[in-house]
Amino acid sequence: MIHCENLSKSFRRARVLDGIDLDIPLGERIALIGSNGAGKTTLIRCLLGEYTHEGTVTIDGRSPRKERTAVLGSIGFVPQLPPPLKMPVGQLIEFSASLSGADPQQIDAIAARLGLDVTDIRSRPFIRLSGGMKQKLLIAIALGRDAKLLIMDEPAANLDPEARKIFFDLLAERQQSATMIISSHRIDEVAALVNRVIEMDLGKVVLDDKVADDISLSGRYTCRLVSRRVDAALAKTLATWNFTADADGLVWTGEVAGPDRLRFMGMLSRYIALIGDLALHEAGQ
């Protein structure tokens, strides 16, 4: 799928990529991690054919630089920072679909699954959408095409918990037919999504290792939480996870996506003194 051999890139005298050798087959889910300046973004830009470079990069045997149109047609890309596009949403969807021969209605349908009704915003400039709406639309555009390679930079950063669950479902539907590269500077943000970790530092690959792949992207956990007392901050936080309370406001129940369980527990740690009882079980068990 992806082959990099002695990939190097310099900006003036600064060596940003230094002899990268990688082979990534179809179906792998890669966490590309490293601190700012490690070379992650430059590697992604080389995969997208945006930079000239030394060494070799091929995707399905094609050079992203020399055959960029053909290669980009099989890539779904979600940038970390949404581009400042003034193009209306409807025009952006039509344009993006035309580049890869995708069906615009498929993009609309994925956006709807994420909770974004494009009918209401079709004439609105992309730049005027909220951060969450932009992220959902960019994900829908990336997943709406028949892409064999998905490159995503902090893709779930601006998503609410329910949209994150749907996002994991969408990835699960593609995990056998697509390679995924998820870039992040924090391993805990993406660990549950991937089966291989590639860490970069100073332009080199310093870690390339398989990880346990025992968490289903489409898995669900049911949760029951008992609060010692009614607390407005805890109630507001649980409500954002679509939890519901009993009449007394003390017993909360809800569902958490499998890849989000560590993030959920981390959130609850802020309210540990308020929690009297907590049960988390895999749905169906």
Side-chain angles (χ1 to χ4, degrees):
M1 179 66 184
I2 299 175
H3 176 71
C4 299
E5 184 175 345
N6 197 29
L7 172 61
S8 301
K9 175 64 181 176
S10 298
F11 292 102
R12 296 183 178 178
R13 296 183 179 179
R15 196 73 158 175
V16 182
L17 296 180
D18 191 5
I20 301 293
D21 292 319
L22 283 175
D23 280 294
I24 301 174
L26 182 68
E28 288 207 329
R29 305 191 305 275
I30 308 292
L32 182 63
I33 64 171
S35 59
N36 291 333
K40 304 188 305 297
T41 298
T42 303
L43 176 59
I44 287 174
R45 298 299 179 186
C46 288
L47 293 177
L48 296 173
E50 296 183 8
Y51 291 154
T52 58
H53 54 77
E54 301 171 36
T56 302
V57 176
T58 59
I59 297 176
D60 274 350
R62 298 175 182 265
S63 165
R65 185 67 182 176
K66 297 178 181 178
E67 303 173 82
R68 194 173 181 208
T69 300
V71 171
L72 288 182
S74 63
I75 295 178
F77 176 52
V78 181
Q80 180 180 12
L81 298 176
L85 299 175
K86 297 181 180 179
M87 186 183 299
V89 168
Q91 186 178 342
L92 175 60
I93 291 174
E94 295 287 341
F95 174 73
S96 300
S98 68
L99 292 178
S100 60
D103 183 354
Q105 293 185 356
Q106 175 71 3
I107 296 175
D108 290 0
I110 292 176
R113 287 180 62 180
L114 289 166
L116 179 64
D117 186 353
V118 298
T119 304
D120 297 334
I121 59 171
R122 195 169 291 277
S123 61
R124 192 184 305 180
F126 176 81
I127 198 172
R128 296 189 61 183
L129 301 180
S130 68
M133 294 169 75
K134 290 177 181 176
Q135 195 73 359
K136 290 175 182 179
L137 184 58
L138 291 173
I139 289 173
I141 289 173
L143 298 183
R145 55 176 60 187
D146 186 22
K148 291 185 178 180
L149 174 59
L150 298 173
I151 300 176
M152 299 168 282
D153 199 349
E154 308 282 1
N158 290 315
L159 299 181
D160 56 83
E162 183 61 27
R164 286 175 63 94
K165 286 196 290 186
I166 300 301
F167 175 60
F168 297 145
D169 286 343
L170 290 166
L171 293 186
E173 293 169 8
R174 303 290 297 276
Q175 67 185 93
Q176 301 301 323
S177 61
T179 296
M180 305 177 193
I181 298 177
I182 306 173
S183 178
S184 179
H185 65 282
R186 294 180 56 185
I187 182 59
D188 59 312
E189 290 287 334
V190 297
L193 296 175
V194 303
N195 57 15
R196 180 177 170 185
V197 175
I198 296 174
E199 183 177 1
M200 296 185 65
D201 188 36
L202 299 177
K204 293 179 177 291
V205 172
V206 296
L207 173 70
D208 184 354
D209 199 11
K210 293 281 189 177
V211 297
D213 193 18
D214 59 351
I215 298 177
S216 169
L217 293 179
S218 58
R220 293 283 186 272
Y221 287 81
T222 57
C223 180
R224 181 179 182 273
L225 182 149
V226 179
S227 178
R228 299 182 188 276
R229 58 179 171 82
V230 174
D231 181 85
L234 176 60
K236 182 177 180 180
T237 299
L238 290 173
T240 66
W241 287 79
N242 293 321
F243 273 51
T244 57
D246 66 355
D248 296 325
L250 294 176
V251 180
W252 292 81
T253 56
E255 193 175 75
V256 179
D260 249 349
R261 62 179 181 176
L262 294 180
R263 180 170 173 266
F264 178 72
M265 296 301 290
M267 175 276 295
L268 288 183
S269 68
R270 303 198 301 267
Y271 304 98
I272 191 66
L274 292 170
I275 299 174
D277 187 52
L278 175 66
L280 192 67
H281 300 286
E282 189 170 0
Q285 297 295 315

